[in-house]
Amino acid sequence: MNTKIISLLGLVAILFSSCQKGLTDKQKEEYVIKGKEIAQSTVKKLGSNLMKHMKEGGPQQAIPFCNTAANPLTKEVAEKYNVSIKRTSHKIRNENNKPNEKEDEILNQYLVSLLKGEKLKPIVSKDQDGKVHFYAPMKLEAKCMACHGTVGKEVTIKTDSILKSLYPNDKATGFKVDDLRGIVNITFNN
Ligand code: HEC
């Protein structure tokens, strides 16, 4: 092969691999904006419904709502934006929300950042299949504590027994306000 062709092939290979790897900073920024919008719209949808049930019937009514309606409501938002949405945590309540390897890595990264007192920022990355993911931290707020705070304190014994009956392996109590509760992973389909 002559050297010109070889160098041309080399160039093509470099271009191709950089495409494969690559999201430019500008693309990342765009995904962060989109991801934030989708995450906010999920929080709004879940939060307003959750608070309505909390007001009407306390944790007793709101927990079954989280158990049965959180996923269909999240799915509604996901379909609207053509993405999939997963909530996961280092301390899970529902086993179906278990983190995968990448999510584990990001959870650990956020936990370390928190210890260092750093501000947690969303992360955009591409997986091996070329799909783009938006990861963002979810922190505990005062309104989460009735179901994720300390048992016997914010979480009443009665609430804990309802939680235990639905989630025998519940690890999602004992949090304090501003602790990392988990992350959201938004996967873009296109
Ligand atoms: C009324 C009780 C209640 C309140 C209030 C509540 N949660 Fe939950 N949370 C639950 C239940 C029940 C589940 C399990 C849902 C399921 O089965 O998928 C859950 C699951 C989660 C998960 C998914 C990961 C896992 O552990 O399975 C995250 C993340 C989460 N909650 C964050 C929050 C945050 C942040 C707030 C406050 C803004 C909040 N929750 C308020 C009851 C509650």
Side-chain angles (χ1 to χ4, degrees):
M1 237 188 282
N2 86 30
T3 46
K4 253 191 192 159
I5 293 181
I6 292 176
S7 55
L8 193 65
L9 281 177
L11 185 65
V12 169
I14 290 167
L15 283 176
F16 187 70
S17 69
S18 68
C19 285
Q20 286 272 302
K21 238 199 203 156
L23 288 167
T24 62
D25 285 349
K26 186 158 183 291
Q27 280 172 318
K28 280 193 180 172
E29 259 170 50
E30 284 164 5
Y31 277 112
V32 166
I33 292 169
K34 266 194 244 170
K36 278 187 178 165
E37 183 191 336
I38 300 167
Q40 258 156 25
S41 136
T42 317
V43 165
K44 223 164 136 190
K45 187 135 208 160
L46 282 182
S48 59
N49 280 286
L50 179 64
M51 284 305 134
K52 193 178 125 237
H53 288 290
M54 280 293 269
K55 275 204 189 106
E56 278 174 19
Q60 240 168 306
Q61 180 177 326
I63 292 167
F65 158 80
C66 287
N67 179 237
T68 57
N71 279 335
L73 283 176
T74 308
K75 231 180 178 164
E76 240 178 70
V77 180
E79 271 164 22
K80 181 177 157 203
Y81 288 98
N82 192 24
V83 295
S84 40
I85 302 171
K86 178 179 171 189
R87 293 189 312 158
T88 184
S89 175
H90 50 303
K91 291 184 182 168
I92 49 166
R93 174 155 286 165
N94 186 333
E95 300 273 335
N96 295 333
N97 300 328
K98 235 182 9 213
N100 62 29
E101 214 175 299
K102 179 72 183 175
E103 289 161 348
D104 241 346
E105 186 188 311
I106 287 177
L107 282 162
N108 283 329
Q109 202 173 316
Y110 281 145
L111 287 169
V112 170
S113 293
L114 263 189
L115 280 179
K116 289 191 197 152
E118 292 166 2
K119 198 169 177 278
L120 307 185
K121 292 195 199 114
I123 294 169
V124 169
S125 76
K126 227 181 203 184
D127 65 22
Q128 295 110 314
D129 300 329
K131 291 222 161 149
V132 178
H133 296 260
F134 166 92
Y135 302 95
M138 294 174 69
K139 285 203 179 176
L140 266 292
E141 296 167 41
K143 64 183 177 199
C144 318
M145 298 309 273
C147 301
H148 294 295
T150 302
V151 178
K153 210 172 145 200
E154 299 98 341
V155 179
T156 63
I157 302 297
K158 187 164 183 196
T159 298
D160 188 51
S161 73
I162 304 170
L163 287 170
K164 288 267 159 50
S165 70
L166 289 166
Y167 311 97
N169 293 319
D170 184 18
K171 305 222 171 27
T173 54
F175 288 101
K176 296 191 175 58
V177 170
D178 280 342
D179 276 352
L180 182 72
R181 170 64 185 95
I183 55 170
V184 61
N185 171 5
I186 297 174
T187 311
F188 292 88
N189 286 328
N190 48 8

